[in-house]
Amino acid sequence: MRFTNLFAPTAKEAPKDALLPSHIYLVRGGFVSQIGAGIYNFLPLGKIVLDKIRTIVKEELDKAGCQEVQLGFVTPTELWKESGRYAKFGKELLRFKDRKNNEFVLGPTHEEAMVDLVRNRLKSYKQLPLNLYQINTKFRDEARPRYGLLRGREFLMKDGYSFHEDEEDLKREYALMEQTYSRILERLGLDFRVVEADSGAIGGSGSRELMVLADNGEDDIIVCSGCDYAANIEAAKRQAVSVPDGDVEMQAGTFHTPDITTIEALSDFFKIDAYYFVKAVAKKAIYEEEEKIVLFFLRGSDELQEVKAQNTCGALELEDVSSEELEAAGMVVGFIGPHNQSVDCYFDDSLKKASSLICGANKKDYHDIGVSFENEEFDYHDITSVNAGDRCVACGSALEITKGIEVGHIFQLGTAYSEALGATFLDRNGKSKPLVMGTYGIGVSRLVAVMIEQHHDEKGCLWTDATTPFKFDIVISSIKDEEQVSFATSLYEQMQEENISVLLDDRNERFGFKMGDFELLGFPYAIIVGKGLKEGEVQLGHRATLEKETIHKDEIFEKIKGL
RNA sequence: CGGAGUGUAGCGCAGCCUGGUUAGCGCACCUGGUUUGGGACCAGGGGGUCGAAGGUUCGAAUCCUUUCACUCCGACCA
């Protein structure tokens, strides 16, 4: 490709709302452009990258025995009503009507459509297992699209669905998909971790996310410094926290604590580590039919993990609750204790059989001290957030916290959808059973942005060989210099004959301008044909290091072939 | 969905408060010339329903009302 023919409108300035490197450089480099909130056009360079990633995804999936299909982007509403998600999915699901007043949705994910495709067609265990996928546009009407391609409303996703006769075979496929996804990310050159994830309200026997490590990630992930354990903070586990140094002895009793309501102030007041205090966190739990106040109790040194808390009480949603609402419910804000509560209470595992505790007395300005839970039959669960420095459940090493961007999610779905939609098969005994399903997603257009989020510098993009739109950029320093033009052009033609991916920057621009574009666009190598040519020399520029090496013009082609 | 903003040329912005000739600047673009190894210079030029609708006024980018779009913080996010 000659640059003079390429539609790649580069710009010196980024749109003012582009904050992340991926957003800034992809727009400035003319890879993508925004056309609406969370909706992006892919220009030629962006389209090449997108297709390269898509191809890698397809190659690895096909190798793993998956088959590509393509489902309608527009899906009739009936299917969504059948599965029960029509009501559940909320406003994220974009609904509309056609001229005959029939209602449709733009597919945000395709469990229903895929189950519909196979039901009554997969009839026997002999046809199983089966893994079907598509790489197709998705639409989710996000309340707040942001960060360019990272959180758009319209995006390209690979979504796959597998069908099995039993859980055991599902687990085999699940492991295979983890391997396959890992291989895809390795080929792209991304630094990632597979982490344990929250399975959410759907349940199922497990789910894992593939997280690319990046400073601007939206998810907090816990990784072990000593072993492979890694988890989304929403699902992370830890060993029991060790007791702080120093003996603590206290007589049972009630203590006057005027206006001392926070754990920090109490810890100061009693000169006792926050570990010994019982913290009460009140939330409003929203259920399908009702909403009510619930209390979560944990150690003063811990924080409530909301996703765990929500799963524990089985609520659809947890909301903050105001002091007024608490008082109306008969609670003494700042002095809430675990005893004699009329609302649902949940306790963190770390309080099981605990003693030497200080907790609210349910009475203004008083705390109970020397409290023991030794003989209490409370409802214990893991509801705390894991912190950096806590010890790993697997090996005991220190856990670290880092940021990640979710690029893939694999999920053991079970039979929820096949039951709802009546997708059954006959097993070896001739018995009718619902198909056991897995679902696997990987964000293809998100990966375009993730590549840059992880690989960029202050000048622009840094594409890996597997994703770059062009591997080589031949920069002609002066287009008026016939010797430069003729050498560069013949090198370009020679490279094209060898099917080497190359862009010829034949624009009538100054040297600095072209080099700036080379750096912004992030091709791995520049071949600089300039003033050195008189001495028979050209330069090979390395984008990653910004170094240039001088090479004799007769040797450059061999050098290129070796890269 | 709550809170806060912004809409003026392809991009970034000024002008608005305090209404008054042909609405300006930088970058980008076009023509000519001089330049040519790190985003050049000189001269000339093209490009705007000032987001939209309505209103006030002799006169509206500017004041008022309505509306749409986009953005930021938060909530939300298989």
Side-chain angles (χ1 to χ4, degrees):
Chain A
M1 172 65 71
R2 287 171 179 267
F3 214 134
T4 45
N5 296 330
L6 179 68
F7 182 55
T10 58
K12 220 180 216 171
E13 290 176 280
K16 64 166 186 274
D17 41 65
L19 304 170
L20 300 190
S22 62
H23 193 182
I24 292 169
Y25 295 138
L26 289 174
V27 173
R28 277 191 53 207
F31 292 90
V32 299
S33 77
Q34 185 176 355
I35 188 172
I39 307 173
Y40 286 82
N41 298 321
F42 280 77
L43 281 57
L45 290 176
K47 176 65 172 154
I48 294 172
V49 176
L50 185 69
D51 283 349
K52 286 186 120 177
I53 294 174
R54 181 192 186 121
T55 300
I56 289 171
V57 169
K58 177 169 173 56
E59 283 174 5
E60 293 300 329
L61 287 167
D62 288 354
K63 230 185 275 176
C66 307
Q67 298 173 60
E68 187 173 6
V69 296
Q70 184 168 314
L71 305 180
F73 177 38
V74 173
T75 316
T77 297
E78 284 74 42
L79 281 174
W80 285 75
K81 290 188 172 151
E82 232 181 297
S83 72
R85 283 164 110 194
Y86 183 78
K88 220 166 144 190
F89 219 88
K91 291 192 175 169
E92 222 174 293
L93 185 63
L94 183 63
R95 305 145 208 244
F96 59 94
K97 288 176 177 171
D98 69 4
R99 62 165 76 196
K100 289 186 244 167
N101 217 32
N102 291 325
E103 199 177 15
F104 293 85
V105 304
L106 284 187
T109 171
H110 290 234
E111 280 80 8
E112 287 83 356
M114 198 64 92
V115 171
D116 179 62
L117 180 72
V118 302
R119 66 175 164 186
N120 305 324
R121 295 191 175 97
L122 280 183
K123 296 171 185 165
S124 157
Y125 72 93
K126 292 176 193 165
Q127 295 168 290
L128 299 175
L130 182 68
N131 190 327
L132 298 176
Y133 74 95
Q134 60 169 344
I135 300 172
N136 208 350
T137 299
K138 302 285 179 291
F139 193 92
R140 291 181 196 176
D141 199 357
E142 294 274 355
R144 195 166 161 228
R146 59 183 127 181
Y147 305 137
L149 290 182
L150 281 179
R151 181 166 292 282
R153 292 195 295 171
E154 185 183 286
F155 54 96
L156 190 69
M157 182 169 98
K158 173 263 157 177
D159 51 322
Y161 307 85
S162 68
F163 303 93
H164 310 270
E165 54 180 312
D166 56 27
E167 287 282 335
E168 194 188 333
D169 194 53
L170 167 62
K171 285 195 164 64
R172 177 200 53 74
E173 186 76 9
Y174 180 75
L176 175 63
M177 285 301 111
E178 178 177 331
Q179 275 175 34
T180 304
Y181 277 24
S182 297
R183 200 167 301 135
I184 290 167
L185 298 183
E186 278 159 20
R187 278 184 65 182
L188 291 172
L190 290 167
D191 186 13
F192 68 97
R193 295 293 287 258
V194 182
V195 308
E196 299 295 333
D198 169 47
S199 295
I202 295 179
S205 33
S207 87
R208 287 184 176 170
E209 291 163 334
L210 285 92
M211 290 280 185
V212 168
L213 306 180
D215 296 338
N216 291 315
E218 288 190 86
D219 291 290
D220 288 316
I221 55 185
I222 297 289
V223 296
C224 179
S225 57
C227 73
D228 281 344
Y229 180 76
N232 191 309
I233 197 151
E234 296 172 352
K237 296 189 173 68
R238 65 177 181 187
Q239 287 191 6
V241 174
S242 47
V243 178
D245 293 340
D247 289 342
V248 169
E249 282 185 30
M250 49 180 106
Q251 300 277 315
T254 299
F255 217 88
H256 188 52
T257 49
D259 283 329
I260 303 173
T261 58
T262 65
I263 296 292
E264 200 184 339
L266 285 163
S267 177
D268 268 5
F269 180 80
F270 284 104
K271 303 275 181 278
I272 289 175
D273 195 285
Y275 175 81
Y276 294 101
F277 293 83
V278 178
K279 181 194 278 186
V281 180
K283 292 281 170 186
K284 195 194 299 174
I286 315 288
Y287 296 90
E288 216 151 321
E289 300 292 320
E290 56 171 344
E291 54 180 66
K292 57 187 179 187
I293 291 173
V294 295
L295 290 174
F296 298 97
F297 292 96
L298 47 152
R299 288 200 178 262
S301 47
D302 286 330
E303 297 288 327
L304 183 71
Q305 214 304 316
E306 283 212 26
V307 174
K308 290 182 182 177
Q310 185 179 326
N311 292 340
T312 296
C313 66
L316 294 173
E317 219 175 296
L318 286 185
E319 284 182 2
D320 287 344
V321 53
S322 68
S323 340
E324 291 75 26
E325 287 171 291
L326 284 175
E327 276 157 16
M331 297 191 197
V332 192
V333 177
F335 303 91
I336 296 174
H339 297 103
N340 304 317
Q341 287 294 352
S342 54
V343 300
D344 292 346
C345 293
Y346 302 93
F347 290 75
D348 187 62
D349 288 332
S350 64
L351 289 169
K352 206 179 279 180
K353 308 264 183 220
S355 57
S356 298
L357 296 170
I358 300 176
C359 51
N362 292 321
K363 189 168 134 192
K364 184 158 170 48
D365 296 339
Y366 287 93
H367 278 81
D368 289 331
I369 68 169
V371 176
S372 169
F373 285 179
E374 201 86 39
N375 301 312
E376 301 281 5
E377 292 292 318
F378 289 136
D379 193 3
Y380 293 106
H381 298 270
D382 172 18
I383 54 172
T384 58
S385 206
V386 173
N387 299 303
D390 288 346
R391 285 177 302 128
C392 174
V393 275
C395 75
S397 305
L399 294 171
E400 291 165 0
I401 189 160
T402 178
K403 295 266 184 198
I405 301 170
E406 179 189 348
V407 296
H409 198 161
I410 58 175
F411 210 105
Q412 297 182 30
L413 256 190
T415 55
Y417 289 89
S418 47
E419 276 173 29
L421 294 162
T424 58
F425 70 103
L426 293 181
D427 73 4
R428 286 159 206 270
N429 304 316
K431 256 182 75 182
S432 178
K433 278 183 164 177
L435 291 158
V436 178
M437 291 179 63
T439 179
Y440 321 92
I442 189 162
V444 178
S445 53
R446 176 177 279 185
L447 276 169
V448 174
V450 167
M451 288 302 301
I452 298 310
E453 216 46 58
Q454 200 171 76
H455 302 294
H456 67 271
D457 61 16
E458 67 287 348
K459 296 191 182 261
C461 305
L462 283 167
W463 296 108
T464 59
D465 282 5
T467 54
T468 186
F470 295 98
K471 188 167 178 181
F472 295 94
D473 181 14
I474 303 177
V475 176
I476 303 173
S477 176
S478 171
I479 206 75
K480 302 259 168 69
D481 182 326
E482 281 178 27
E483 192 189 349
Q484 289 180 20
V485 172
S486 92
F487 177 80
T489 305
S490 69
L491 179 63
Y492 168 69
E493 284 164 356
Q494 201 178 354
M495 288 170 76
Q496 283 203 311
E497 268 171 39
E498 297 272 335
N499 283 321
I500 297 170
S501 162
V502 57
L503 179 68
L504 177 66
D505 194 344
D506 55 347
R507 295 175 298 172
N508 183 18
E509 295 290 351
R510 296 172 68 85
F511 179 73
F513 183 89
K514 292 186 181 184
M515 288 304 289
D517 270 1
F518 161 68
E519 285 152 359
L520 173 64
L521 295 172
F523 309 125
Y525 304 102
I527 298 152
I528 302 161
V529 180
K531 62 184 182 186
L533 191 65
K534 285 190 185 64
E535 285 76 51
E537 286 170 346
V538 296
Q539 283 179 309
L540 180 65
H542 297 259
R543 176 61 185 90
T545 58
L546 295 175
E547 283 164 358
K548 292 176 204 162
E549 50 178 319
T550 300
I551 291 170
H552 194 274
K553 65 173 184 170
D554 295 337
E555 286 159 16
I556 187 69
F557 187 64
E558 283 308 310
K559 178 84 182 176
I560 288 165
K561 284 211 287 187
L563 288 170

